[in-house]
Amino acid sequence: MISSLSVYLALFLGTLAVALDNGLAKTPPMGWNPYNAFLCSTTEQQYHTAAQNLISLGLSGLGYQYVNLDCGWQGKARNSSGGFTWDTTTIPSGIPALSSFIHGLGLKFGVYSDGGFFACDFVGGTAHYLGSLGFETSDANSFASWGADYLKYDNCYAVSTTDFVDFNPPFQTETHYTTMRDALLATGRPIVFSICEWGVQDPARWPASAVGHSWRISNDIGPPASWDNLFRIINQVVPITQFAGPGGWNDLDMLEVGNSGLTLAEQQSHFVFWAAAKSPLIISTDLTKVSTNSLNILKNQRIIALNQDSLGKSISFRRRYTNDHDVWAGPLSDGSTVAVILNWQNSTRSVTFDLTDVGFRSATASDLFSGKSLGTLTSSYTATVDAHGIIVLKLSGTASASQPSFTFYDAAASGNTLAGGASTRSVSSSITVVGFVGNGGTLTINNVDGGVSGGTKLLSIDYINADFVFTNTDCSNCRNAFISINGGAPIQAQMPISGQSWDILFSGYLVSLSGFKAGKTNSIEISNPSGWTPDFYRIGVSN
C-alpha cells in the first residue's frame, strides 16, 4: 500500500520539476563574476569595466552574456519598509542604474544574495551584509524590479546569526532554496537561479534540478587557484554527472582561467573539463589584466561549443590510471563522442589513450582544442601532454569494441578473510559490504579463478565511498586502496566518492593487475597502511 505521504511527495516533486521548466538555462550559463579576482570588494567602476571588456575582448559574442554581482554590494540594514539596500560607497549610482548600464550594452545582469540571516564575506563573517532569509518575496520582487536576469544564492549564516559557515546544518538546506525559487517564479520575470549551497547535502539528488538552474557540487574552487582544488572538485562530480541536463546543471564553480596559481596547461585542462562536464562557464578574473594566452583559452570556440551542445550530456568517468591519467567521455548532439584524457603527472610526457576505455576499437578523431584532424585511430592514440595537461578528442565514425565479461566475487562471502578490524555491513536486504578496510584492516578474497593461463586481469570493483571533504586533502574526495594479487606488490587505486551517503554504490571501477595464476587458487588482498579504503561490495575478474 502506498502511503499518503509518498503520494504527496511524488506530486510535490512533480510540481517542482514542472515549475522550473521555464525555458531558461537550456545550455549552461556563461558570463563573468568578480569573486576570484576581487573577492567581496568589487566597485561599481570595476563592474562597468568588466562589462565593457566582455564586449571589447570579443567574449560577449561567444556567449559570455551575464555580468553578475557577488558579495560586498549589499547594504547592512534594510530600508524603512524592509526593502533590500545596497552599499552606496561601493555602488554609488545604485543597483537599478548598474543594471541599466549593463543592459544598455546588450548584456544580462545578475545579482547575488544569500539564503541566510547574513551573506557570505571574506572577512570571517564579520561584514554582516544583508541576507534574504525571511524576506524572500520582498527581495525577489526587488531583484526583478531592478531587471535581474540571474541570481546567485549563497548559503552563509543559514543556521543562525552566529553560525557563519555550516557544512552540516541541522535542517534540510533545500528548503531555503525552494522558498526563493517560488518567490522568483512569482515575480513573472525570467531569472536564472544559481544555487550556491557548496554541495551540502548532495543537492544533485534532491533533485536540485527541481529547484534551480544550476547547483554547486563542491566547496569553493578558490581563491587561491590550485591544481589540488581542481582534483578535489573533479572527484566530487564523479557520481553525479548523470544529473546534468538542459535547464539544470552541475556547477563546478567559477573559472580560475587567467588567475595566478595555475600553469597555462592547467588552465586549459580546467576550462576543457568544466566545459565538457557542462558546468556554467563563469569567468572570474580581472579582464583588464588577462593574458593573451588565457584569453585564447576562454575564447576557444570548439570548447565553448562542447559546453553549449544542445544534447546537454555531461562527460562521465570511465577509467582512472592512478597517478597517471583519467579517461572521461560523453555523447554529443551530432552522434559523436567527446573523450577527455587528463594527465595527472607533474611532467610533460607521452600519454596513450586506449579507445576501449570509451567502448571503441576505432574512430575518426579530431583534436577539439587545436582543431586538428587526426584521421582514423585504431586501438589507441598517443600524444605528448604537458604536466597536468589534457587531450580532448571528438570521435565519430566509431566501431564498437567487444566488452569484457567478469566473474564477480562478493566481498562479504563466507570464504573470504577479514582481518584487523575489517567487518561486514548491511546496506540493504540484497547488498552487504565489507568496511573498516585499512589502518590495519584487510580484506582478502580467496579462491579467485585466474582462468587457464593466469597473467594480467581486468578487475571491475563495486564500492561505496562517502568520505567527501570540503578542503583539499591527500586524496580529496577519494580513498586509496592498495590491491595485491597472490601476495605480490600492492597497486594503488585512487577511488573517488560514490555519493554523500554510505548507501550509494559506484559500479565498475576498473583496474588492471598482473600476477594471477591459472586455476581457482588466487587471492586478492585489499589494504591501506595509513588510511581507510572504500567499503567493498564485489569485485569482478575478467574471464
Side-chain angles (χ1 to χ4, degrees):
M1 181 176 180
I2 301 175
S3 69
S4 58
L5 177 60
S6 298
V7 172
Y8 171 76
L9 287 174
L11 291 172
F12 182 60
L13 290 173
T15 300
L16 297 189
V18 172
L20 204 64
D21 186 12
N22 55 1
L24 298 178
K26 290 299 184 183
T27 59
M30 298 173 61
W32 180 87
N33 177 295
Y35 185 77
N36 289 338
F38 303 118
L39 302 177
C40 297
S41 57
T42 315
T43 66
E44 179 179 296
Q45 184 55 53
Q46 286 170 320
Y47 283 114
H48 279 204
T49 301
Q52 291 165 327
N53 282 335
L54 284 178
I55 295 170
S56 64
L57 294 173
L59 291 162
S60 63
L62 298 175
Y64 297 98
Q65 286 287 308
Y66 291 96
V67 179
N68 295 337
L69 303 181
D70 212 289
C71 54
W73 72 271
Q74 313 97 306
K76 298 182 181 181
R78 292 179 175 271
N79 62 27
S80 59
S81 60
F84 213 106
T85 60
W86 53 84
D87 185 320
T88 56
T89 301
T90 301
I91 313 290
S93 300
I95 295 299
L98 179 57
S99 175
S100 294
F101 176 83
I102 290 169
H103 284 144
L105 295 175
L107 301 172
K108 296 180 180 180
F109 174 63
V111 294
Y112 166 94
S113 191
D114 190 288
F117 295 94
F118 305 116
C120 299
D121 60 46
F122 207 72
V123 286
T126 62
H128 285 180
Y129 301 123
L130 289 174
S132 290
L133 185 62
F135 295 87
E136 291 86 355
T137 297
S138 172
D139 290 355
N141 286 333
S142 293
F143 303 153
S145 72
W146 298 340
D149 304 298
Y150 188 108
L151 172 63
K152 176 183 174 182
Y153 204 51
D154 224 329
N155 196 32
C156 290
Y157 285 108
V159 175
S160 71
T161 58
T162 58
D163 195 347
F164 177 39
V165 173
D166 195 325
F167 291 122
N168 188 29
F171 65 93
Q172 188 62 27
T173 306
E174 177 187 359
T175 59
H176 285 187
Y177 291 95
T178 56
T179 302
M180 179 53 82
R181 176 212 60 200
D182 293 344
L184 291 173
L185 289 171
T187 69
R189 181 174 179 81
I191 299 175
V192 171
F193 189 29
S194 170
I195 301 172
C196 185
E197 72 324 280
W198 323 317
V200 168
Q201 297 173 337
D202 216 353
R205 299 178 194 273
W206 291 347
S209 58
V211 184
H213 298 100
S214 66
W215 49 91
R216 279 277 298 279
I217 65 103
S218 69
N219 195 11
D220 293 357
I221 194 172
S226 73
W227 182 250
D228 288 343
N229 284 334
L230 303 187
F231 178 66
R232 167 174 53 85
I233 293 170
I234 288 169
N235 277 330
Q236 197 156 353
V237 81
V238 166
I240 56 172
T241 53
Q242 71 273 22
F243 292 99
W249 309 101
N250 286 315
D251 182 358
L252 280 61
D253 203 5
M254 296 174 289
L255 295 170
E256 291 278 20
V257 177
N259 296 330
S260 61
L262 297 176
T263 67
L264 191 62
E266 289 169 344
Q267 292 178 56
Q268 292 172 343
S269 296
H270 171 29
F271 187 64
V272 168
F273 191 93
W274 264 230
K278 304 301 189 287
S279 177
L281 296 181
I282 307 297
I283 299 168
S284 192
T285 193
D286 185 348
L287 291 176
T288 68
K289 299 178 180 178
V290 66
S291 72
T292 299
N293 287 333
S294 293
L295 187 61
N296 287 339
I297 292 171
L298 294 169
K299 294 177 69 173
N300 189 309
Q301 295 184 54
R302 290 175 298 275
I303 305 303
I304 292 172
L306 172 61
N307 179 255
Q308 298 291 299
D309 184 75
S310 61
L311 185 64
K313 292 290 188 181
S314 170
I315 53 171
S316 61
F317 178 83
R318 301 301 177 90
R319 182 83 183 265
R320 172 163 293 170
Y321 296 84
T322 294
N323 298 319
D324 196 277
H325 68 277
D326 259 14
V327 179
W328 296 63
L332 298 174
S333 58
D334 63 2
S336 63
T337 296
V338 61
V340 173
I341 300 92
L342 273 167
N343 176 19
W344 288 123
Q345 291 197 10
N346 300 323
S347 60
T348 299
R349 65 192 181 94
S350 291
V351 174
T352 297
F353 161 50
D354 187 338
L355 268 68
T356 62
D357 285 340
V358 296
F360 305 131
R361 55 184 171 84
S362 66
T364 300
S366 63
D367 183 323
L368 278 182
F369 203 85
S370 69
K372 180 181 178 181
S373 174
L374 302 176
T376 299
L377 307 182
T378 303
S379 300
S380 65
Y381 171 69
T382 300
T384 299
V385 184
D386 290 333
H388 299 161
I390 201 164
I391 300 170
V392 54
L393 303 178
K394 183 175 182 179
L395 307 176
S396 58
T398 56
S400 297
S402 59
Q403 298 302 301
S405 61
F406 297 94
T407 299
F408 284 94
Y409 300 85
D410 288 348
S414 59
N416 296 334
T417 303
L418 280 59
S423 59
T424 60
R425 171 175 68 89
S426 294
V427 176
S428 67
S429 59
S430 59
I431 294 177
T432 299
V433 296
V434 174
F436 294 101
V437 178
N439 289 312
T442 60
L443 163 65
T444 303
I445 298 177
N446 298 310
N447 304 316
V448 175
D449 191 354
V452 296
S453 57
T456 298
K457 296 288 184 179
L458 185 65
L459 273 59
S460 178
I461 304 173
D462 297 353
Y463 68 88
I464 297 176
N465 171 23
D467 189 14
F468 63 95
V469 297
F470 290 98
T471 56
N472 296 329
T473 62
D474 179 56
C475 187
S476 300
N477 293 315
C478 70
R479 281 189 171 187
N480 283 306
F482 293 85
I483 308 173
S484 172
I485 306 301
N486 294 322
I491 301 299
Q492 179 190 9
Q494 285 183 327
M495 309 177 77
I497 63 169
S498 58
Q500 291 186 20
S501 66
W502 288 97
D503 58 0
I504 299 172
L505 274 172
F506 183 92
S507 297
Y509 184 96
L510 300 175
V511 59
S512 184
L513 295 173
S514 61
F516 283 90
K517 301 177 294 186
K520 300 181 179 181
T521 60
N522 294 276
S523 64
I524 302 172
E525 181 182 271
I526 303 173
S527 63
N528 183 329
S530 59
W532 299 113
T533 74
D535 292 357
F536 293 94
Y537 168 47
R538 63 179 189 172
I539 295 180
V541 178
S542 59
N543 296 317

